Amino acid sequence: MLAARLGSLHSERAGFYIGLYYGGTGLGIALSALLVPAALATAHAHGVSHAWQWAWLALGIACLLATAFMAWPAKAIGEERPVHGAARGFAIKDFVFGLAGYGMFGVGYIGYMTFVVALLKQQGMSAGLITVFYLMLGLAVVASARIWARLLDLYHGGQSLAILNALLAVAVILPALSRAAPIVFISGLVFGAVFLSVVASTTALVRHNLPPASWSAGISAFTTVFALGQIAGPIVVGAIADGPAGLERGLMVSAAALLIGAVLASRQKALLVSHLLAAGRM
């Protein structure tokens, strides 16, 4: 809701601000890529038996500092203004293909995020290169706000969700097809530059097609199917990865889920109500 309200305050650059909101996660990914190895090394240097606890503590402190830093800007956005008059509310039947496509995104992307580091270790990549890989992925997430801003503003249906799901499928399958470091790093860069923009695309979809009073219901519905996908994804991919096919086959299944999501999202049409509202007829 914060992202949607921020977009409404700056409608001419709504796509950029919505993307920037989600792209900020990339700062956390980049920070964790540096913070976790440093915390683990410090813990080992002090002979700590459970070094992972230091890493979790460091991440927790970073989250608290980030929360304190953003408290005032979040408050400055203000509360949602009440909307008077009749307006079309959120209905699942209007967003069936968008919701289904987003659910498949949840299934597909989480397999990569969960198992790609394990795959890189299995393929023999050094710890230093894995840190660089994850750092680059995080920085690409930050850049995604600028990359896809126009796309999020341009399309009012499921086109953005479809395009981004398809690109993500390509990124996910690359490490399963090649162990070459340049290919793997391209995979990480593309994945980082795309995956949270998929989340932003659903916020933009809701914002384009529903009045502000219905944004909360719409975003909640998309978040619910996303969460269900995130639960199913690691279970399915993990079961495949534990078998003789290995992690590579698991990522192929993730890529297939994303492609299915792209096809489903491509069938999501813009609602007529969005154009009527934009024209001031409702």
Side-chain angles (χ1 to χ4, degrees):
M1 282 302 299
L2 279 174
R5 290 212 303 273
L6 186 61
S8 69
L9 294 174
H10 305 274
S11 57
E12 73 284 355
R13 305 189 70 194
F16 172 71
Y17 283 114
I18 291 172
L20 186 65
Y21 174 84
Y22 291 109
T25 304
L27 293 175
I29 294 173
L31 179 62
S32 68
L34 300 174
L35 198 58
V36 170
L40 291 175
T42 303
H44 288 137
H46 286 78
V48 177
S49 58
H50 299 292
W52 64 267
Q53 294 176 334
W54 282 45
W56 279 94
L57 181 61
L59 291 174
I61 292 171
C63 288
L64 284 174
L65 291 174
T67 300
F69 180 76
M70 289 304 299
W72 181 84
K75 185 178 180 181
I77 294 175
E79 297 296 326
E80 181 181 352
R81 295 179 180 178
V83 178
H84 303 287
R88 182 171 183 169
F90 173 78
I92 290 178
K93 64 182 178 61
D94 292 330
F95 292 90
V96 167
F97 290 111
L99 288 166
Y102 195 45
M104 294 308 294
F105 161 71
V107 171
Y109 104 93
I110 194 63
Y112 186 94
M113 286 297 287
T114 303
F115 297 110
V116 69
V117 171
L119 176 62
L120 298 182
K121 287 182 178 179
Q122 178 182 293
Q123 292 177 346
M125 183 174 285
S126 68
L129 277 179
I130 291 175
T131 297
V132 174
F133 169 88
Y134 218 67
L135 177 63
M136 290 178 62
L137 189 155
L139 294 177
V141 174
V142 178
S144 65
R146 176 67 65 181
I147 296 171
W148 306 112
R150 180 168 173 76
L151 185 78
L152 299 185
D153 284 333
L154 180 62
Y155 293 116
H156 288 198
Q159 299 96 324
S160 296
L161 179 56
I163 292 168
L164 295 171
N165 262 343
L167 287 173
L168 209 57
V170 175
V172 166
I173 204 170
L174 286 178
L177 300 178
S178 174
R179 298 189 177 198
I183 299 297
V184 171
F185 273 80
I186 289 172
S187 166
L189 282 171
V190 175
F191 185 91
V194 172
F195 88 101
L196 278 175
S197 291
V198 178
V199 182
S201 74
T202 62
T203 300
L205 178 64
V206 168
R207 183 180 173 276
H208 284 314
N209 290 281
L210 292 173
S214 299
W215 287 351
S216 179
I219 292 171
S220 295
F222 276 95
T223 302
T224 299
V225 298
F226 174 62
L228 293 174
Q230 283 196 120
I231 293 170
I235 295 173
V236 174
V237 174
I240 295 170
D242 285 340
L247 287 167
E248 289 87 352
R249 185 64 58 84
L251 289 187
M252 290 180 182
V253 171
S254 293
L258 289 164
L259 283 176
I260 293 171
V263 173
L264 289 169
S266 70
R267 299 196 61 189
Q268 176 65 52
K269 305 299 182 183
L271 304 185
L272 179 61
V273 67
S274 64
H275 304 300
L276 295 176
L277 285 167
R281 299 175 188 171
M282 289 187 66

